[in-house]
Amino acid sequence: MNQPLPEYLQADAAAAALEQKVIAWRRDFHQHPELSNREVRTSGVVAGHLAKLGLKVQTGVAHTGVVGLLETGRPGPVVALRADMDALPVSEEVDLPFASKARASYNGQDVGVMHACGHDCHVAILMGVAEVLAGMKAQLSGSVKFIFQPAEEGPPPGEDGGAALMIKQGVLENPKPDVIYGLHVFAGIDAGTIAYRPGPAMASSDRIRIKINGRQTHGALPWRGVDPIVISSQIVLGLQTIISRQVDVSLEPAVVSIGAIRGGVRDNIIPDTVEMLGTVRTFNEDMRADIHARIRKTVDLIAQSAGATSEVHFDNPYPVTVNDLPLTEHAVPTLERVAGAGNVVVGQKITGYEDFSYYQQRIPGFFYFVGITPKGTGRKQAAPNHSPRFFVDESALLLGLRSLTHLTLDYLAGKHQRAT
Ligand SMILES: [Zn+2]
Ligand SMILES: [Zn+2]
């Protein structure tokens, strides 16, 4: 097992020959970033490429998504590979000849647009994988579905989109993939290194919206009203005790953060209402439901105790990104073959979320991280994903291309199949 077969050598030779092309694609996407659900140019380039490779191409999935199907004509597994295509409302500060100068309107504001999460790399890598595998079609069995997904960062307010919408529109049917693989380039991990985590790897996320309805009064006469500002202060502190005192954090970590409080207009008026926004992150779906219930209870009872009423809403939901255990176990030797044994590490849990989790709710999936920080920079010095100074060491592109290609080859050849 896992000895170099001619197939691997052939794939690696094809990948190496493609490296400059993949870098050029990535720079082109980097220079022309597009916000979530606006990936029109990007998906056009992708669709053109897949069609040229002879794949069956479907466009306009979940607004701007593209799905390519490589059919070998021989029976075998169906492997899905996913890349996200969207950029962020961030103004690039990296000094590069292909730095983004793009601007767009987001939420009514004029903003800079930048591939500050590295999705430009994901698109270029998956285009490369498609080219390598299409070139090896005669030796392969089964099918490969290439999923180029819009709006991973979340659709603009008032719109739907992303993985959930792609699934709703049938991306996991006809044919139904047996498994799905995806990767993310990640700052703070050295280029050349791959990090993964079995089981829960990235958090669930839910936005909390809270409204406290008090009764407006003069700031000098608080007893004549119900003060939602003091109640909100108690609630903010009360919510923190859910994590610190109530849930078993020895099982999994969790986070509750309030990020916005709005209420009042001047010093001597106690307002009618206060609104708060926050986020909940968990690594376990049961804990997620439990924490939601505790948030409702904490808000409602504190408000009640002071004579106010409260409203609590959760929206913008993302499930926990959970790597299938057998699939992960089988992926590790493949990744070690590609990156070198010392270069594949178990990473930390990440309290950020990924909408790749929606695919994993339906089929076994494996999502891993490819380092992009130049060696010697240090974890703390590297500008994180979403920073205007996010920087990619492009040697990571070849590693991304080879790793996804090898994972697919091994699964198609039956080397990763789940024990039956
Ligand atoms: Zn991101
Ligand atoms: Zn991302």
Side-chain angles (χ1 to χ4, degrees), residues 367-379:
F367 190 75
Y368 61 100
F369 300 93
V370 175
I372 45 119
T373 295
K375 279 198 183 105
T377 306
R379 192 182 172 85

Side-chain angles (χ1 to χ4, degrees), residues 169-396:
Q169 296 190 0
V171 74
L172 295 184
E173 306 300 328
N174 302 320
K176 179 182 194 305
D178 295 287
V179 291
I180 185 162
Y181 294 102
L183 60 75
H184 207 301
V185 296
F186 211 74
I189 302 174
D190 283 354
T193 300
I194 288 177
Y196 73 97
R197 211 171 160 91
M202 296 182 73
S204 69
S205 172
D206 297 277
R207 182 166 56 199
I208 325 167
R209 289 186 295 128
I210 298 170
K211 190 173 177 200
I212 306 303
N213 303 301
R215 198 167 66 247
Q216 188 158 323
T217 177
H218 198 293
L221 306 167
W223 54 87
R224 298 286 299 275
V226 175
D227 184 349
I229 298 228
V230 171
I231 297 166
S232 298
S233 311
Q234 290 177 307
I235 287 173
V236 171
L237 296 176
L239 292 177
Q240 290 313 309
T241 67
I242 293 174
I243 305 305
S244 68
R245 304 288 87 173
Q246 299 177 36
V247 301
D248 184 351
V249 288
S250 72
L251 297 175
E252 290 289 356
V255 180
V256 174
S257 294
I258 296 298
I261 306 186
R262 289 191 204 101
V265 286
R266 54 177 275 157
D267 62 325
N268 61 356
I269 301 175
I270 291 170
D272 239 4
T273 60
V274 167
E275 289 180 329
M276 294 186 268
L277 293 172
T279 188
V280 192
R281 306 294 164 111
T282 75
F283 290 91
N284 174 295
E285 293 294 343
D286 292 336
M287 275 174 82
R288 183 185 183 193
D290 179 53
I291 290 171
H292 284 200
R294 290 176 189 276
I295 288 172
R296 284 185 194 284
K297 190 171 165 189
T298 303
V299 172
D300 290 347
L301 293 183
I302 290 177
Q304 231 182 74
S305 73
T309 61
S310 53
E311 296 162 42
V312 182
H313 298 283
F314 294 98
D315 59 12
N316 227 10
Y318 290 92
V320 184
T321 299
V322 183
N323 284 324
D324 182 75
L325 291 178
L327 200 62
T328 306
E329 204 175 300
H330 285 116
V332 174
T334 305
L335 295 178
E336 287 179 336
R337 184 179 68 226
V338 172
N343 298 321
V344 179
V345 300
V346 175
Q348 279 181 292
K349 285 189 177 111
I350 295 173
T351 48
Y353 67 81
E354 233 310 325
D355 78 357
F356 190 79
S357 52
Y358 279 110
Y359 304 110
Q360 290 172 316
Q361 280 191 325
R362 281 156 184 90
I363 54 173
F366 177 65
F367 190 75
Y368 61 100
F369 300 93
V370 175
I372 45 119
T373 295
K375 279 198 183 105
T377 306
R379 192 182 172 85
K380 290 199 175 128
Q381 271 63 51
N385 291 51
H386 290 206
S387 160
R389 290 173 300 284
F390 178 75
F391 174 79
V392 173
D393 178 332
E394 289 176 330
S395 68

Side-chain angles (χ1 to χ4, degrees), residues 29 32-47 59-66 83-88 113 115 119 123 148-156 159-163 166 355:
F29 293 130
H32 300 97
E34 295 170 301
L35 291 174
S36 308
N37 277 355
R38 305 288 183 271
E39 306 89 338
V40 176
R41 178 186 182 276
T42 308
S43 60
V45 173
V46 168
T59 58
V61 186
H63 305 302
T64 57
V66 182
D84 41 10
M85 303 191 288
D86 51 334
L88 287 159
V113 184
H115 269 295
H119 299 183
V123 178
F148 292 86
Q149 182 208 299
E152 193 286 322
E153 302 284 359
E159 296 181 28
D160 54 2
M166 290 207 85
D355 78 357

